[in-house]
Amino acid sequence: MNTTTTTTTTTTTTATATFASPHQRKNINLNSPTKGGDDDTARKPGSAINGGGGGGGGQKVAKASFMTWRVEDAVNVAKHHWIPCVFGLGLLFFMGVEYTLLMVPASSAPFDLGFVATRPLHRVLSSWSELNTLLAFLNTVFVGMQTMYILWTWLVEGRPRATISALFMFTCRGILGYSTQLPLPEGFLGSGVDFPVGNVSFFLFFSGHVAGSVIASLDMRRMKRWELAWTFDVLNVLQAIRLLGTRGHYTIDLAVGVGAGILFDSLAGKYEENKRQEAVARKLTAKEAFF
């Protein structure tokens, strides 16, 4: 067997040992990469490694993974991988909720848990228009802060990632917002000083306010501007509460806004890396052509 095959086999065995259960690891020898002999038999047609049907000749077919599980394996999974276990329980719980929940009829307003939680704030803002206007103004200032920071990173610091991310995000938001136009929530409290100014018309899904703040916060963390990042995060949470209280967004708009900010920041990073690799390739090609 050549060196490449031996290295690959050793790597595969190591990975198997890493994720195997305690009793499964007993049978794995990390210092014995496959080199031929009896191990070569396992790679013949009909063997377990090649996925064969078992054939004759006294060859053994490997058991399915779950047939080797023991109680200690389940305990090990629950101990060391409790987060996926919690999400697994969540899956089972919400399957029960989904299949037993009565659907909201078309003639009724959408149900939103965030609206239920912010009913007291909604009542206050409904009866106190000056406070609603003040909060709307502060929200507009915060949006301006996001915009200024994102543009600053590109125009002044020469780092376009946050700007590219925002361009990706708002374009996608426009496509989704136009594709499925949600009804304006009942009890919406608009303001002439809010952004978009006057709330003449805007997309509900998803929240550009929240996504833009997440994009700015992620960039601040990359630059180790921790205090500024935490400040933006706190203001973003307050912004989300205010948007729920004024019925300016549904809860799902805000939640997806967080995910969208993370997603498009990641995509912008991949875009930048791809462009760097292309630039390096062009330089190398030019150098080779010159010589």
Side-chain angles (χ1 to χ4, degrees):
M1 181 179 290
N2 58 37
T3 305
T4 303
T5 306
T6 303
T7 304
T8 304
T9 304
T10 305
T11 304
T12 304
T13 306
T14 305
T16 303
T18 302
F19 294 98
S21 62
H23 87 273
Q24 289 172 328
R25 284 197 291 268
K26 296 177 183 177
N27 299 322
I28 298 176
N29 187 353
L30 298 180
N31 296 320
S32 301
T34 304
K35 295 183 179 179
D38 294 337
D39 290 336
D40 287 339
T41 304
R43 289 189 298 277
K44 293 179 180 179
S47 67
I49 293 179
N50 283 333
Q59 296 177 355
K60 294 182 179 180
V61 179
K63 293 181 180 179
S65 177
F66 75 91
M67 295 180 66
T68 65
W69 294 353
R70 297 180 181 178
V71 175
E72 62 181 293
D73 299 330
V75 173
N76 181 64
V77 169
K79 180 179 179 181
H80 298 286
H81 305 286
W82 61 271
I83 293 179
C85 290
V86 170
F87 279 98
L89 294 175
L91 167 65
L92 297 176
F93 173 76
F94 283 107
M95 282 178 64
V97 171
E98 182 177 3
Y99 296 145
T100 58
L101 191 66
L102 295 177
M103 300 291 288
V104 177
S107 58
S108 301
F111 172 79
D112 193 296
L113 189 59
F115 290 178
V116 175
T118 56
R119 278 174 181 168
L121 177 60
H122 181 72
R123 286 195 293 267
V124 171
L125 295 178
S126 297
S127 59
W128 193 353
S129 60
E130 293 81 7
L131 178 60
N132 182 43
T133 300
L134 174 62
L135 294 180
F137 172 74
L138 293 177
N139 178 76
T140 299
V141 171
F142 184 45
V143 173
M145 291 167 58
Q146 299 172 24
T147 305
M148 288 179 60
Y149 179 84
I150 290 173
L151 291 177
W152 176 277
T153 61
W154 172 40
L155 299 176
V156 179
E157 297 181 357
R159 299 184 299 105
R161 176 167 173 173
T163 304
I164 294 171
S165 177
L167 293 175
F168 286 176
M169 182 271 291
F170 278 109
T171 300
C172 182
R173 176 177 178 270
I175 294 171
L176 294 177
Y178 183 80
S179 299
T180 301
Q181 300 174 35
L182 301 174
L184 191 67
E186 290 184 359
F188 170 67
L189 302 175
S191 173
V193 297
D194 204 355
F195 181 86
V197 179
N199 295 295
V200 176
S201 180
F202 57 95
F203 292 129
L204 286 164
F205 187 85
F206 46 86
S207 174
H209 292 78
V210 171
S213 180
V214 169
I215 290 172
S217 176
L218 289 173
D219 184 87
M220 294 168 186
R221 281 176 163 75
R222 276 193 297 274
M223 302 304 295
K224 302 187 185 305
R225 296 165 177 167
W226 306 113
E227 295 81 3
L228 192 57
W230 280 112
T231 300
F232 262 58
D233 289 341
V234 171
L235 292 176
N236 203 12
V237 171
L238 295 176
Q239 170 183 240
I241 295 173
R242 180 253 170 189
L243 288 169
L244 289 173
T246 60
R247 307 301 187 250
H249 271 296
Y250 294 105
T251 301
I252 192 173
D253 304 332
L254 306 175
V256 174
V258 174
I262 297 172
L263 170 64
F264 289 110
D265 176 77
S266 175
L267 292 178
K270 294 181 184 299
Y271 174 83
E272 276 194 330
E273 181 60 27
N274 182 62
K275 289 301 178 182
R276 288 194 197 98
Q277 293 177 357
E278 288 183 0
V280 170
R282 284 196 299 269
K283 289 179 180 178
L284 291 177
T285 301
K287 181 177 180 181
E288 292 172 353
F290 180 77
F291 287 100

Coordinates of all heavy atoms in Angstrom, one line a residue, residues 12-43:
T12 N -8.7 8.3 9.1 CA -10.0 7.9 9.3 C -10.2 7.1 10.6 O -11.2 7.3 11.3 CB -10.4 6.9 8.1 OG1 -10.2 7.6 6.9 CG2 -11.9 6.5 8.2
T13 N -9.2 6.3 10.9 CA -9.3 5.5 12.2 C -9.2 6.5 13.4 O -10.0 6.3 14.3 CB -8.1 4.6 12.3 OG1 -8.1 3.8 11.1 CG2 -8.2 3.7 13.5
T14 N -8.4 7.5 13.3 CA -8.4 8.5 14.4 C -9.7 9.2 14.6 O -10.2 9.4 15.7 CB -7.3 9.6 14.1 OG1 -6.0 8.9 13.9 CG2 -7.1 10.5 15.3
A15 N -10.3 9.6 13.5 CA -11.6 10.3 13.5 C -12.7 9.4 14.1 O -13.5 9.8 14.9 CB -12.0 10.8 12.1
T16 N -12.6 8.1 13.7 CA -13.6 7.1 14.3 C -13.4 7.0 15.8 O -14.4 7.0 16.5 CB -13.4 5.8 13.6 OG1 -13.5 5.9 12.2 CG2 -14.4 4.8 14.1
A17 N -12.2 7.0 16.2 CA -11.9 6.8 17.7 C -12.4 8.1 18.4 O -12.9 8.0 19.6 CB -10.4 6.6 17.9
T18 N -12.3 9.2 17.8 CA -12.7 10.5 18.5 C -14.2 10.5 18.8 O -14.6 10.9 19.9 CB -12.3 11.7 17.6 OG1 -11.0 11.7 17.4 CG2 -12.7 13.0 18.3
F19 N -15.0 10.0 17.9 CA -16.4 10.1 18.0 C -17.1 8.7 18.5 O -18.3 8.6 18.6 CB -17.1 10.5 16.7 CG -16.7 11.9 16.4 CD1 -15.7 12.2 15.4 CD2 -17.4 13.0 16.9 CE1 -15.4 13.5 15.1 CE2 -17.0 14.3 16.6 CZ -16.0 14.5 15.7
A20 N -16.2 7.7 18.7 CA -16.8 6.4 19.1 C -17.1 6.5 20.6 O -16.6 7.3 21.4 CB -15.8 5.3 18.8
S21 N -17.9 5.5 21.0 CA -18.3 5.4 22.4 C -17.1 4.7 23.2 O -16.2 4.2 22.5 CB -19.5 4.5 22.6 OG -19.2 3.2 22.1
P22 N -17.1 4.8 24.5 CA -16.0 4.2 25.3 C -15.6 2.8 24.9 O -14.5 2.4 24.7 CB -16.4 4.4 26.7 CG -17.3 5.5 26.7 CD -18.1 5.4 25.4
H23 N -16.7 1.9 24.9 CA -16.4 0.5 24.6 C -16.0 0.2 23.2 O -15.3 -0.7 22.9 CB -17.6 -0.4 25.0 CG -18.6 -0.6 24.0 ND1 -19.6 0.3 23.8 CD2 -18.8 -1.5 23.0 CE1 -20.4 -0.1 22.8 NE2 -19.9 -1.2 22.3
Q24 N -16.5 1.1 22.3 CA -16.1 1.0 20.9 C -14.6 1.3 20.7 O -13.9 0.7 19.9 CB -16.9 1.8 20.0 CG -18.3 1.4 19.8 CD -19.2 2.4 19.1 OE1 -19.0 3.6 19.2 NE2 -20.2 1.9 18.3
R25 N -14.1 2.3 21.5 CA -12.7 2.7 21.3 C -11.7 1.6 21.8 O -10.6 1.6 21.4 CB -12.5 4.0 22.1 CG -13.0 5.2 21.5 CD -12.4 6.5 22.1 NE -12.9 6.7 23.5 CZ -14.0 7.4 23.7 NH1 -14.7 8.0 22.8 NH2 -14.3 7.6 25.0
K26 N -12.2 0.7 22.6 CA -11.3 -0.4 23.1 C -10.8 -1.2 21.9 O -9.7 -1.8 21.9 CB -12.1 -1.3 24.0 CG -12.5 -0.6 25.3 CD -13.3 -1.6 26.2 CE -13.8 -0.9 27.5 NZ -14.6 -1.7 28.3
N27 N -11.6 -1.3 20.8 CA -11.3 -2.2 19.7 C -10.6 -1.5 18.6 O -10.4 -2.0 17.5 CB -12.6 -2.9 19.2 CG -13.2 -3.7 20.2 OD1 -12.5 -4.4 21.0 ND2 -14.6 -3.7 20.3
I28 N -10.2 -0.2 18.8 CA -9.6 0.6 17.8 C -8.1 0.8 18.1 O -7.8 1.4 19.2 CB -10.3 2.0 17.6 CG1 -11.7 1.7 17.1 CG2 -9.6 2.8 16.6 CD1 -12.5 3.0 17.0
N29 N -7.2 0.4 17.3 CA -5.8 0.6 17.5 C -5.3 1.7 16.6 O -5.2 1.6 15.4 CB -5.1 -0.7 17.2 CG -3.6 -0.6 17.6 OD1 -3.1 0.5 18.0 ND2 -2.9 -1.7 17.6
L30 N -5.1 2.9 17.3 CA -4.7 4.1 16.5 C -3.2 3.9 15.9 O -2.8 4.6 15.0 CB -4.7 5.3 17.4 CG -6.1 5.7 17.9 CD1 -6.0 6.9 18.7 CD2 -7.1 5.9 16.7
N31 N -2.5 3.0 16.5 CA -1.1 2.8 16.1 C -0.9 1.7 15.0 O 0.2 1.4 14.7 CB -0.2 2.5 17.3 CG -0.2 3.6 18.3 OD1 -0.1 4.8 17.9 ND2 -0.2 3.3 19.6
S32 N -2.0 1.2 14.5 CA -1.9 0.1 13.6 C -2.7 0.4 12.3 O -3.8 -0.1 12.1 CB -2.5 -1.2 14.2 OG -1.7 -1.5 15.4
P33 N -2.2 1.3 11.5 CA -2.8 1.6 10.2 C -2.8 0.4 9.3 O -2.0 -0.5 9.4 CB -2.0 2.7 9.6 CG -0.6 2.5 10.2 CD -0.9 2.1 11.6
T34 N -3.8 0.3 8.4 CA -4.0 -0.8 7.6 C -2.8 -0.9 6.6 O -2.5 0.0 5.9 CB -5.3 -0.7 6.8 OG1 -6.4 -0.6 7.7 CG2 -5.6 -1.9 5.9
K35 N -2.2 -2.1 6.6 CA -1.1 -2.3 5.7 C -1.2 -3.5 4.8 O -0.2 -3.9 4.1 CB 0.2 -2.3 6.5 CG 0.6 -1.0 7.2 CD 1.9 -1.1 8.0 CE 2.2 0.2 8.7 NZ 3.5 0.2 9.4
G36 N -2.2 -4.2 4.9 CA -2.3 -5.4 4.1 C -2.7 -6.6 4.9 O -3.2 -6.5 6.0
G37 N -2.4 -7.8 4.5 CA -2.7 -9.0 5.2 C -4.2 -9.2 5.4 O -5.0 -9.1 4.5
D38 N -4.6 -9.5 6.7 CA -6.0 -9.8 7.0 C -6.8 -8.5 6.7 O -8.0 -8.7 6.4 CB -6.1 -10.2 8.4 CG -5.5 -11.5 8.7 OD1 -5.3 -12.3 7.7 OD2 -5.1 -11.8 9.8
D39 N -6.3 -7.3 6.9 CA -7.1 -6.1 6.7 C -7.4 -5.9 5.2 O -8.5 -5.3 4.9 CB -6.3 -4.9 7.2 CG -6.2 -4.9 8.7 OD1 -7.0 -5.5 9.3 OD2 -5.3 -4.2 9.2
D40 N -6.6 -6.4 4.3 CA -6.9 -6.3 2.9 C -8.2 -7.1 2.6 O -8.9 -6.8 1.6 CB -5.8 -6.8 2.1 CG -4.6 -5.8 2.1 OD1 -4.8 -4.7 2.4 OD2 -3.4 -6.2 1.8
T41 N -8.4 -8.2 3.3 CA -9.6 -9.0 3.1 C -10.8 -8.2 3.2 O -11.8 -8.4 2.5 CB -9.6 -10.2 4.0 OG1 -8.3 -10.9 3.9 CG2 -10.7 -11.1 3.7
A42 N -10.8 -7.3 4.2 CA -12.0 -6.5 4.5 C -12.4 -5.6 3.3 O -13.5 -5.1 3.2 CB -11.8 -5.6 5.7
R43 N -11.4 -5.3 2.4 CA -11.7 -4.4 1.3 C -12.1 -5.2 0.1 O -12.3 -4.5 -1.0 CB -10.5 -3.5 1.0 CG -10.2 -2.5 2.1 CD -9.1 -1.5 1.7 NE -7.8 -2.2 1.5 CZ -7.0 -2.5 2.4 NH1 -7.3 -2.1 3.7 NH2 -5.9 -3.1 2.2

